[in-house]
Amino acid sequence: MKLKLMTKSSEKLKETLSLISHVRKFVVLKFTPSELSVILINGQAVKLEPQVWCKLPVSELFQSCEIQSVRDNTILMEINIDLLVQTLKNFDKANSEGLNIRLQRTDTSGAKGTSTTTGRTASLALFYSNLNINANVVNHTFRIPVKILRDAQDMLHEPTHSDLGLIMRLPNEFVTMFKRLEKFKKVPSSESVTIRASRRNGGFLGFILEESGKFKVTISWNDKLEVHKPTTTENDSLRETLRNGPSQLGENEKDITSDIDEIEVNVKLKDWQLASKIVGRCRTVILYIGERECSLHCLLDDTDDVEIVYFITGSRITH
């Protein structure tokens, strides 16, 4: 197993990790020769907690890349996301010409500062050089303990939607909706929120906060939204929509057998609000609402290099 990388800029990786670091302490990095996947998932509660799946092209991130593994040249590891983000910030501040990244094994005695008691028997070493005020070369090396996930490749699968629903592109100003929900929620009563979407009357998206017998507040987006029926729930198709815009779906809706014009899903308010940082930063955001789940499919900037997908499991609303 070998992992050797070099980059002159860690900006996109650092920003992607910074946007999701508040969701969970540890993250899974999946390296292949073509793609780096950053996965946030709770293995003990896969269907109960949000998942985040980020995809970044290796060719755009790294100037040189060497990945070797008996498992189809795929390497998966679990790492503390805060330690990794801080190291990337240190590199940016150093004004160095290049960051080298290596996967290093450790022996059973715990060499290289890794912990064998927690199963973290390797480290991701990041090192770079810069000049100090006296024009002397200073070498920096950071080793972050990692846990190699040898069997996770067959168990980690990006979620797919189990049913057809509605899809819409959210405007850049939509981040204000998270602030309004935070303002009107009742603590600790508002543990969930109902998200309602409709294709009728120019499109509707609303969020319902309620406590039985006490209050009911509906916060809706007032401007027009293009709400469509997706042609399929497959993630690859949703990615194509993400890049080309959902308006193209209007031409194909006559071929869709689903008769859904309005849909609701109930999710944990905390899970929805965790997405505010991602939605507020990303250039393109498409919301998908099904009867049992919803997801936010996002592109970080105009290059389309960084894709972030935030999945939330919900429960169907019955009347």
Side-chain angles (χ1 to χ4, degrees), residues 30-37 55-58 67:
K30 179 182 178 182
F31 292 92
T32 72
S34 61
E35 187 175 79
L36 167 60
S37 298
K55 298 181 183 298
L56 304 91
V58 166
I67 301 174

Side-chain angles (χ1 to χ4, degrees), residues 176-190:
T176 58
M177 187 66 72
F178 292 93
K179 298 176 182 178
R180 293 172 67 187
L181 283 170
E182 192 68 26
K183 177 181 178 181
F184 284 99
K185 76 174 185 178
K186 301 293 184 180
V187 180
S189 301
S190 298

Side-chain angles (χ1 to χ4, degrees), residues 161-167 228-234 256-260 262-263 288-293:
H161 293 287
S162 58
D163 47 38
L164 287 173
L166 295 176
I167 188 172
H228 300 278
K229 303 172 186 177
T231 55
T232 174
T233 58
E234 291 298 324
I256 304 173
T257 58
S258 170
D259 58 355
I260 294 177
E262 184 172 297
I263 197 167
Y288 184 101
I289 302 178
E291 294 180 325
R292 289 179 290 273
E293 63 272 310

